[in-house]
């Protein structure tokens, strides 16, 4: 299945459907309220799956048909005992509050193999109803039972999975049989007779939504049981992390050596074109700027290919640089105003002056070349006459420049995906330095990975942007035909 079809079937709000408010693009459900107050959100996997662990074990070990039949037996007994039980749900927390006689009465119909499937519960010291289960179950757990717990957690971790929906149905039905909730007749019939009544494509979401609504309502009056944190801590202490390494799929391989050879050739030809189109030795902001930006993009491409950086963090930084370089050139070319070309040049000189003034009295050795900064700041005029412009050189952000120059497609495609690699925001850090732990008992948390050089290559994207920079230059100084070729793709 291709990417477009896969995500088209998911319930995802499109960007154009979301509202922008005070610099924040709001999530569809972020403003939901319940009786004038914001919902108390709870996590199925973090908070409520552990509390329904006995059900998760049954549904994953016995299969759906037998598992749901077992749930119905427990619900029938719960209904018979409803006068002895208050606000209750078939969770470990509520089961721990029962007298053992009532507890054993609820589960008295469990077969021996069903009881065997629940033995892994006895591994957990934190389980609030562990003593009930110890008295009720036959046998003792062993170390291999951790894998059974892990399997149950894995199958039910996604709140929309079949197994999780079955467990959530059990929680919801606990409230039904105790007559704590009421829903319209036809809806109740489909829930009660799940999964044998109605269209499951509608019934299953209804069950999940109803269970979540009542769970959040209960959360307003009772916090998550403290033992839940102990459960995850115990799992972490008693089982090992399993770092998951993902294989890059559908990557486009490109022959970096051929790219390097071709860039060097184009670079030399571009230098020749520079001299052929040069008309003055005076300051020529347009000519220097246009050629400089294209040569800059070629150098970025050269070192991305030659240094094998295209599959690393550095490669994404280089691609991000190419994006801004192209949009800047496109904006300058579309305006093609001598004043704007000079504005671009003066801004860069002013930044050299600013860097010089901030660093020339420093004695610490760094990469900064004070002599070069001073020379460049004074290149066009004595820097005592040179203003330092702060903010954007064009008084527009990159998005606005892209919009005005017809390069919004490039901005939308690359900018948000790449900027985090320049600024070190969480998305980029997460994608390159951490991976999932494949142990379900660790909640698939994040663990460090060795430095990555296996990301999807950015070299094809950089080559395309270089070619678009060359297109802009050809429009300004006809005609320069050499381009990076598509035949490099293996």
């Amino acid at each position: 299945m291709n990417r477009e079809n896969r995500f088209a079937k998911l319930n995802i709000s499109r960007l154009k459907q979301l509202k922008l408010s005070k610099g924040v693009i709001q999530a569809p459900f972020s403003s939901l309220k319940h009786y004038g107050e914001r919902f108390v959100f709870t996590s199925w996997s973090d908070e409520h799956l552990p509390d329904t662990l006995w059900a998760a074990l049954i549904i994953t070990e016995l299969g759906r048909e037998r598992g749901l039949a077992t749930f119905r037996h427990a619900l029938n007994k719960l209904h018979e005992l409803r006068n002895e039980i208050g606000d209750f749900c078939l969770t470990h927390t509520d089961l721990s509050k029962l007298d053992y006689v009532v507890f054993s009465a609820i589960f008295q119909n469990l077969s021996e193999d069903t009881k065997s499937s629940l033995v892994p519960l006895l591994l957990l010291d934190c389980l609030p109803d562990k003593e009930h289960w110890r008295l009720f179950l036959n046998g003792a757990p062993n170390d291999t039972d951790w894998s059974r717990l892990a399997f149950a957690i894995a199958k039910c971790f996604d709140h929309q999975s079949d197994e999780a929906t079955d467990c959530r149905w059990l929680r919801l039905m606990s409230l039904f049989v105790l007559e704590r909730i009421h829903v319209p007749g036809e809806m109740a019939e489909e829930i009660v007779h799940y999964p044998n009544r109605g269209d499951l494509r509608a019934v299953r979401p209804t069950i999940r939504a109803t269970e979540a609504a009542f769970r959040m309502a209960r959360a307003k009056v009772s916090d998550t049981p403290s033992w839940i944190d102990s459960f995850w801590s115990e799992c972490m202490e008693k089982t090992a992390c399993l770092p998951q390494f993902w294989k890059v799929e559908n990557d486009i391989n490109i022959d970096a050596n051929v790219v390097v050879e071709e860039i060097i050739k184009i670079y030399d030809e571009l230098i020749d074109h520079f001299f052929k189109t040069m008309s003055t030795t005076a300051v020529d902001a347009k000519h220097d700027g246009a050629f400089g930006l294209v040569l800059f993009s070629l150098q970025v491409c050269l070192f991305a290919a030659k240094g094998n950086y295209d599959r690393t963090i550095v490669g994404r930084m280089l691609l991000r640089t190419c994006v801004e370089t192209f949009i800047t050139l496109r904006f300058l070319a579309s305006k093609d105003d001598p004043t704007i070309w000079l504005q671009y040049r003066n801004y860069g000189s002013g930044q050299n002056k600013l860097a010089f003034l901030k660093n020339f009295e420093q004695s610490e050795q760094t990469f900064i070349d004070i002599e070069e900064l001073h020379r460049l700041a004074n290149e066009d005029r004595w820097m005592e006459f040179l203003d330092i412009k702060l903010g954007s050189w064009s008084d527009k952000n990159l998005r606005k420049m892209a919009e005005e120059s017809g390069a919004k497609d490039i901005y939308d495609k690359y900018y948000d995906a790449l900027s985090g690699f320049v600024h070190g925001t969480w998305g980029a850090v997460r994608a390159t330095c951490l991976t999932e732990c494949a142990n379900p008992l660790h909640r698939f948390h994040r663990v460090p990975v060795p430095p990555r050089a296996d990301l999807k290559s950015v070299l094809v994207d950089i080559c395309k942007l270089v070619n678009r920079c060359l297109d802009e230059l050809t429009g300004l100084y006809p005609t320069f035909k050499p381009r990076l070729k598509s035949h490099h793709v293996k």
Side-chain angles (χ1 to χ4, degrees):
M1 181 182 293
N2 64 45
R3 182 177 63 179
E4 182 180 355
N5 288 340
R6 177 194 168 197
F7 290 107
K9 292 182 179 180
L10 298 181
N11 187 20
I12 299 174
S13 300
R14 302 302 191 262
L15 191 59
K16 63 183 179 181
Q17 297 173 314
L18 303 179
K19 294 181 179 179
L20 176 64
S21 176
K22 298 179 180 179
V24 176
I25 299 176
Q26 295 180 331
F29 296 148
S30 63
S31 59
L32 286 180
K33 294 185 178 181
H34 180 65
Y35 296 115
E37 299 180 6
R38 288 194 177 275
F39 277 109
V40 176
F41 289 99
T42 63
S43 167
W44 161 255
S45 56
D46 282 355
E47 301 170 15
H48 299 282
L49 173 54
D51 218 359
T52 323
L53 190 55
W54 71 269
L57 280 165
I58 285 177
I59 206 68
T60 54
E61 296 231 345
L62 301 184
R64 270 192 104 205
E65 185 174 348
R66 289 188 62 198
L68 289 173
T70 302
F71 292 170
R72 293 188 191 278
H73 285 308
L75 289 167
N76 288 334
K77 295 303 298 183
L78 187 64
H79 182 68
E80 294 174 11
L81 298 166
R82 65 187 182 281
N83 294 327
E84 303 175 39
I85 299 174
D87 187 16
F88 186 84
C89 196
L90 280 171
T91 61
H92 291 288
T93 298
D94 286 353
L95 288 169
S96 69
K97 301 172 185 176
L98 298 178
D99 181 85
Y100 178 71
V101 174
V102 179
F103 173 91
S104 58
I106 292 174
F107 296 105
Q108 67 181 10
N109 291 321
L110 264 59
S111 63
E112 288 304 312
D113 61 334
T114 302
K115 290 183 179 181
S116 177
S117 71
L118 294 171
V119 168
L121 293 174
L122 302 181
L123 289 167
L124 299 166
D125 295 330
C126 65
L127 206 65
D129 54 346
K130 179 178 179 178
E131 185 60 21
H132 286 349
W133 291 111
R134 189 188 66 78
L135 294 172
F136 186 75
L137 299 175
N138 300 321
N142 56 56
D143 288 342
T144 62
D145 287 326
W146 283 109
S147 64
R148 297 167 67 189
L149 277 178
F151 182 73
I153 292 288
K155 296 294 286 185
C156 299
F157 199 82
D158 178 359
H159 72 102
Q160 292 184 318
S161 70
D162 289 344
E163 293 79 6
T165 303
D166 294 342
C167 292
R168 296 175 67 181
W169 171 83
L170 173 68
R171 293 170 64 98
L172 183 60
M173 284 299 299
S174 299
L175 302 176
F176 267 66
V177 300
L178 293 176
E179 301 175 358
R180 298 290 186 267
I181 63 172
H182 300 278
V183 297
E186 183 177 347
M187 176 180 167
E189 283 290 310
E190 292 179 341
I191 293 176
V192 169
H193 293 283
Y194 168 82
N196 303 313
R197 187 76 59 86
D199 183 353
L200 287 181
R201 291 172 297 180
V203 174
R204 285 164 49 80
T206 298
I207 289 171
R208 292 192 292 264
T210 308
E211 183 272 334
F214 283 103
R215 179 173 6 119
M216 287 189 284
R218 287 164 63 91
K220 293 174 73 66
V221 296
S222 61
D223 294 328
T224 301
S226 59
W227 75 269
I228 298 295
D229 288 337
S230 299
F231 166 79
W232 291 116
S233 295
E234 187 174 351
C235 289
M236 181 182 69
E237 292 167 3
K238 293 181 177 180
T239 61
C241 281
L242 301 171
Q244 179 72 50
F245 297 98
W246 301 105
K247 182 180 179 181
V248 174
E249 300 289 345
N250 303 320
D251 197 8
I252 299 176
N253 292 315
I254 188 168
D255 192 331
N257 293 326
V258 176
V259 172
V260 169
E261 292 175 4
E262 195 163 65
I263 289 175
I264 293 173
K265 184 174 182 294
I266 291 176
Y267 203 95
D268 289 340
E269 293 183 35
L270 194 60
I271 291 174
D272 290 340
H273 193 55
F274 175 92
F275 287 110
K276 289 177 183 178
T277 54
M278 185 176 65
S279 60
T280 179
T281 56
V283 170
D284 190 339
K286 174 181 175 179
H287 191 262
D288 290 353
F291 277 88
L293 283 164
V294 178
L295 291 167
F296 187 81
S297 71
L298 279 166
Q299 283 201 37
V300 169
C301 189
L302 173 67
F303 293 116
K306 191 172 184 179
N308 295 318
Y309 294 130
D310 58 307
R311 298 180 185 277
T312 70
I313 294 173
V314 175
R316 276 141 179 76
M317 294 178 178
L318 295 174
L319 177 55
R320 168 66 175 77
T321 299
C322 273
V323 169
E324 186 150 1
T325 301
F326 167 70
I327 292 175
T328 299
L329 177 58
R330 173 74 177 172
F331 177 80
L332 286 163
S334 66
K335 301 297 182 182
D336 202 14
D337 182 332
T339 301
I340 298 177
W341 283 104
L342 190 59
Q343 184 179 348
Y344 165 76
R345 184 183 181 108
N346 287 341
Y347 176 85
S349 298
Q351 292 301 297
N352 286 330
K353 175 182 176 180
L354 180 62
F356 170 77
L357 294 177
K358 286 184 175 181
N359 287 280
F360 81 99
E361 292 181 328
Q362 300 291 328
S363 59
E364 181 183 1
Q365 293 294 314
T366 67
F367 81 98
I368 296 171
D369 187 334
I370 293 297
E371 293 296 330
E372 182 180 41
L373 285 175
H374 184 259
R375 175 171 55 80
L376 294 177
N378 286 280
E379 187 170 51
D380 291 346
R381 70 178 73 172
W382 184 29
M383 71 179 191
E384 294 302 312
F385 291 104
L386 180 65
D387 293 334
I388 299 173
K389 181 177 176 60
L390 303 179
S392 170
W393 71 267
S394 63
D395 296 320
K396 305 175 190 294
N397 59 32
L398 194 66
R399 176 192 174 96
K400 190 66 176 177
M401 289 167 59
E403 289 175 340
E404 291 190 10
S405 62
K408 185 67 164 33
D409 61 324
I410 295 297
Y411 179 91
D412 287 342
K413 182 175 183 179
Y414 291 113
Y415 185 81
D416 298 301
L418 295 172
S419 289
F421 291 90
V422 175
H423 302 298
T425 58
W426 168 245
V429 170
R430 168 63 184 84
T432 55
C433 302
L434 301 161
T435 189
E436 297 88 352
C437 169
N439 186 347
L441 296 175
H442 290 191
R443 290 185 276 187
F444 304 104
H445 68 139
R446 275 60 55 196
V447 292
V449 293
R452 293 193 63 180
D454 61 346
L455 303 172
K456 293 189 73 169
S457 175
V458 299
L459 198 49
V460 170
D461 299 274
I462 292 178
C463 288
K464 290 178 179 177
L465 286 170
V466 167
N467 282 342
R468 291 194 64 168
C469 286
L470 291 167
D471 292 342
E472 295 300 322
L473 186 71
T474 295
L476 294 169
Y477 295 98
T479 297
F480 188 78
K481 295 182 178 179
R483 298 290 187 275
L484 295 168
K485 302 295 192 301
S486 60
H487 64 71
H488 304 313
V489 178
K490 294 181 180 177

